[in-house]
Amino acid sequence: MTLMQFWIDVGGTFTDCIARSPTGELRPIKVLSSGVTKGQVAERQGTNRFADPLREQDADEFWLGYQIRFFDDQGQTLLTATVAKFHRRLGVLETDTLLPPYIDIGTRYELTANEEAPILAIRTALGLRRDQPIPTVDVRLGTTRGTNALLTRRGARTIFVTTKGFADVLRIANQDRPRLFDLNIVKPKPLFADAIEIDERVAAGGSVLQEPDEAAVRRQLQELANNYSSGQTSSGSPAPSLAICLLHSFANPAHEQLVEGIAREVGFTEISVSSRLAPLIKIVSRGDTTVMDAYLNPILRDYVARLREQLGRSVTTSPMLRLMTSSGGLIDADRFVGKDSILSGPAGGVIGFSRVAQLAGFDKSIGFDMGGTSTDVARFDGQYEYEFETTKAGVRIVAPMLAIETVAAGGGSVCEFDGVKLIVGPQSAGADPGPACYGRGGPLAVTDVNLWLGRIVESRFPFPLDRMAVEKRLRNVAQSLGDSGRINVAVIAPRHELDAPINVSRAIGSSRG
């Protein structure tokens, strides 16, 4: 039996999906990666009905049971209700509660079923309501979930477990000086929150110099576990991941396996072990890889678990949900781990642009992919270029991956003044709340600046954009710059005709100092 196929790329802001029917028909779907659908009230009809022409494109009764949230100009929630009826022909949504008078023309809203963006894309392609089960489908997915978490440093709390005397080995690292002439050296902040030292030692050849004391190891790990009652600290932080990397464990993994076993006995579930992930010499790169894996695994496991749960019976067999790894291959979702996730989405882009270039008659090509959170660049000269030890987002990684340069710069990258200079990124507005123009009170982002300069055609965007919010954020930045006494800023109101280029002088003047 030929299944319906879905090829999905989950980015930091948007999720793109290609649905392929058993007959070969293709349908593109684009949704926000937050899993919500945005709109704007175009007309009030009665006490609990309103019209939005954008909804005329949706399937019959599609939005029944969805939660609908209305927002004010600052992105604050005005009202939350449930869709009781949906009239597609008229683009009319009817809620289960009365709508107050302040829900009027121009009010922005969001529809959500608290499902992941790939699920929304699949339901949209199939025209399935949220109460209808998804049939058996074949899902192939690339995601920047791990990439973006690493770039923006939003991974899980991680504890580094290593040999006694080596707690600082990843902080000391290999003393690289990529900016040799900088006088003010700023050391990169490590991914792990703390370190635990195990009194053990293995020689370079694998012989045991000192056996670990199991009772002492248990006490150390139990003390750490006791700080987390029922998996939570008093502040509500989740229990940490453990990154176990002992000296010379590539030659003899027995001590790491012992520590892992005890850690699981005392209650830790997220554990990364270097001798299993990267059984190679060089403790710094092996340790960085293990810490990064532990840092990202909880996020990826939760994500995959939600996808499986929401897909329901459509993934009763493992090949139905496969994810792309950094090396450009597909892997069963259950085997998808942090170290393989860094270039999951970008790797799909490399495979894609190289094939398109070849079909167009070009044996050599360069790919440039700017998304919402990151920008990726790669080249193809007839064969794929791989790296086996590299640095991404300031972290050394030992794992096979396609040679892709990625930086934290995208449409959602936040634009702000840090008190000294104007900066862009690495933080991203993401899909929720998104850039200021998304109408959810988000920060000023690259997308907002492009909208202000007329580089974005609003009519071609999948939902209405809030130009006034962009102007407000720009004026806030201008005031901050003016207060510094060093820089003059003139925010020039743009022309509203988007079919012609806008003649805007530089918004930022030169320094007077």
Side-chain angles (χ1 to χ4, degrees), residues 14 25 33 54 57 67 73 93-94 113 116 124 150 164 186 260 294 306 322 377 421-422 430:
F14 283 101
E25 182 182 358
S33 293
L54 285 176
Q57 307 170 21
Q67 185 185 79
D73 294 339
L93 292 163
E94 186 173 323
E116 293 292 341
T124 300
L150 186 62
K164 184 177 181 180
V186 179
E260 179 191 15
R306 288 195 300 273
R322 288 172 285 181
V377 180
K421 60 186 180 301
L422 289 164

Side-chain angles (χ1 to χ4, degrees), residues 209-355:
L209 300 178
Q210 181 174 339
E211 291 279 0
D213 184 338
E214 292 189 32
V217 173
R218 187 177 300 275
R219 282 195 302 271
Q220 288 177 282
L221 296 175
Q222 188 66 63
E223 182 179 353
L224 179 64
N226 289 342
N227 294 328
Y228 298 84
S229 176
S230 300
Q232 299 287 320
T233 65
S234 58
S235 62
S237 299
S241 297
L242 296 186
I244 303 174
C245 181
L246 304 180
L247 195 66
H248 299 141
S249 60
F250 70 94
N252 185 347
H255 292 178
E256 284 194 348
Q257 294 168 356
L258 173 67
V259 175
E260 179 191 15
I262 296 174
R264 295 195 184 278
E265 289 175 11
V266 301
F268 291 98
T269 57
E270 292 293 347
I271 305 173
S272 297
V273 182
S274 75
S275 55
R276 188 177 304 129
L277 289 169
L280 303 169
I281 198 170
K282 296 183 181 179
I283 190 173
V284 172
S285 52
R286 180 161 49 90
D288 274 343
T289 303
T290 308
V291 168
M292 183 267 293
D293 189 78
Y295 186 72
L296 298 180
N297 271 345
I299 293 173
L300 297 173
R301 292 191 201 281
D302 288 347
Y303 181 64
V304 169
R306 288 195 300 273
L307 286 178
R308 284 200 180 281
E309 179 183 1
Q310 293 167 12
L311 282 168
R313 66 182 180 86
S314 68
V315 284
T316 53
T317 56
S318 57
M320 298 302 178
L321 178 59
R322 288 172 285 181
L323 285 91
M324 177 156 285
T325 67
S326 301
S327 60
L330 289 170
I331 192 171
D332 177 63
D334 291 335
R335 298 170 56 197
F336 190 64
V337 295
K339 76 178 183 67
D340 294 327
S341 72
I342 298 304
L343 299 178
S344 170
V350 174
I351 303 298
F353 85 71
S354 61
R355 292 292 297 134

Side-chain angles (χ1 to χ4, degrees), residues 6-182:
F6 292 91
W7 305 332
I8 304 175
D9 175 28
V10 182
T13 303
F14 283 101
T15 291
D16 298 291
C17 171
I18 298 292
R20 184 179 187 274
S21 69
T23 60
E25 182 182 358
L26 301 178
R27 181 187 175 186
I29 304 290
K30 192 179 191 73
V31 299
L32 280 166
S33 293
S34 58
V36 305
T37 300
K38 294 177 178 289
Q40 190 172 22
V41 176
E43 180 185 358
R44 278 293 301 265
Q45 298 183 357
T47 57
N48 65 335
R49 293 158 52 101
F50 70 91
D52 181 357
L54 285 176
R55 302 283 72 84
E56 296 175 10
Q57 307 170 21
D58 303 327
D60 290 332
E61 300 184 337
F62 185 82
W63 300 110
L64 292 183
Y66 273 70
Q67 185 185 79
I68 183 168
R69 297 192 297 262
F70 299 90
F71 301 96
D72 62 17
D73 294 339
Q74 284 70 47
Q76 300 300 311
T77 303
L78 291 171
L79 178 72
T80 300
T82 301
V83 177
K85 293 182 180 180
F86 172 49
H87 309 275
R88 175 194 178 188
R89 185 175 62 84
L90 302 174
V92 171
L93 292 163
E94 186 173 323
T95 63
D96 63 345
T97 59
L98 298 180
L99 299 178
Y102 53 78
I103 305 297
D104 203 353
I105 296 174
T107 301
R108 299 177 185 277
Y109 69 86
E110 288 182 353
L111 293 158
T112 179
N114 295 318
E115 290 184 325
E116 293 292 341
I119 306 302
L120 175 61
I122 291 172
R123 288 193 180 278
T124 300
L126 299 177
L128 294 175
R129 301 191 309 269
R130 66 186 301 267
D131 60 347
Q132 293 178 311
I134 298 175
T136 302
V137 293
D138 185 358
V139 180
R140 308 175 186 187
L141 186 142
T143 175
T144 58
R145 187 63 62 99
T147 315
N148 296 340
L150 186 62
L151 287 171
T152 59
R153 295 300 192 261
R154 294 177 180 174
R157 178 180 173 84
T158 303
I159 305 299
F160 178 47
V161 182
T162 190
T163 302
K164 184 177 181 180
F166 287 83
D168 292 332
V169 66
L170 299 187
R171 296 179 187 272
I172 298 171
N174 55 14
Q175 295 297 288
D176 278 350
R177 291 276 302 277
R179 300 175 64 89
L180 189 62
F181 298 103
D182 278 3

